[in-house]
Amino acid sequence: MTTALERRIPSPLAASDRSVPAATPRVKLYKRRIAISHPDPQAGEQLLAEALGAPDRDAMHGILRQLVKASVVGQKPDEANLAFMISTIGSIAPKDSIEAMLVSQMVSVHMAAMRCACRLACTDDLAQQEGIARALTRLSRTFAAQVEALNRHRNSDERAITVQNLSVQDGGRAIVGNVTQHAHLIGADPDTASGAAGEAEWAGATQGASA
């Protein structure tokens, strides 16, 4: 059964300096296992889960295994790369499972892009340069799209603003009906606008008939 991890603010490193948060524990890679380096195993898992944005222990270990595979250098996982990826994810601070997965992909794409950049700098073969440059361009565009997706996800809870009172100066134009503004777009409520227009037409027809 999956055990949920309580989300909390990391405890300080020392009681004398409460402005310094607890550091994310380092991950040690062994031949057949992955270990979280921390004096208290439970606290270490908690801090690592907070850094990765994982909601429970299973999610934390799943993301960690994927990051280990993405840290590979020369077909072998690299602790320094893994530490960089975990630190970067922690600095972005994913707030839910969607952000945790997206940010993990972002750092993995960044790692792949930098590998391409290294290969591009180390080869003089024109054909290889063209192929590597295309891969680097695709990865860079993917990373930019991921940043945009993260921003859209974080701003998706914007509330709409409804304008109920409207003052129109001489020569101005007004929209009949309730006006709602959301994501920099303004539109009139079609039901209210059509109803008001119908009332105006009925009033005009009644006056014409009475004349």
Side-chain angles (χ1 to χ4, degrees):
M1 182 178 69
T2 300
T3 303
L5 295 173
E6 181 183 356
R7 306 283 292 180
R8 68 172 186 269
I9 300 175
S11 57
L13 282 172
S16 59
D17 187 0
R18 298 186 179 276
S19 63
V20 180
T24 302
R26 293 185 68 88
V27 177
K28 297 293 184 180
L29 301 178
Y30 298 95
K31 188 174 182 179
R32 296 185 178 179
R33 68 187 181 93
I34 303 172
I36 300 173
S37 180
H38 195 275
D40 184 345
Q42 185 175 0
E45 284 193 344
Q46 177 71 48
L47 291 171
L48 187 59
E50 290 173 352
L52 298 178
D56 55 53
R57 188 169 288 106
D58 286 346
M60 185 269 293
H61 282 289
I63 294 175
L64 182 58
R65 286 193 297 269
Q66 293 168 350
L67 293 175
V68 169
K69 294 178 181 179
S71 72
V72 169
V73 175
Q75 300 183 352
K76 182 180 180 180
D78 185 82
E79 282 190 6
N81 282 345
L82 180 62
F84 164 76
M85 298 168 78
I86 292 174
S87 175
T88 302
I89 293 174
S91 67
I92 299 175
K95 297 176 176 57
D96 54 39
S97 296
I98 297 296
E99 291 192 10
M101 292 185 289
L102 180 57
V103 175
S104 297
Q105 293 175 25
M106 289 170 61
V107 297
S108 299
V109 168
H110 170 76
M111 294 294 294
M114 298 311 294
R115 291 191 188 100
C116 285
C118 179
R119 291 181 59 192
L120 184 61
C122 295
T123 182
D124 295 326
D125 185 271
L126 183 59
Q128 290 184 0
Q129 287 179 347
E130 291 178 352
I132 297 171
R134 285 195 298 269
L136 178 58
T137 299
R138 289 195 296 267
L139 289 168
S140 300
R141 290 175 177 173
T142 299
F143 183 82
Q146 290 171 329
V147 172
E148 184 179 353
L150 178 62
N151 289 333
R152 286 200 307 268
H153 177 74
R154 287 185 168 179
N155 297 327
S156 62
D157 58 349
E158 287 184 351
R159 297 182 179 180
I161 302 175
T162 301
V163 180
Q164 295 180 339
N165 298 322
L166 181 63
S167 176
V168 182
Q169 303 296 330
D170 293 340
R173 299 177 63 183
I175 300 174
V176 179
N178 293 329
V179 179
T180 300
Q181 180 176 352
H182 182 71
H184 308 296
L185 297 178
I186 299 179
D189 187 333
D191 295 334
T192 307
S194 60
E199 292 178 0
E201 292 178 359
W202 173 256
T206 303
Q207 292 176 359
S210 61

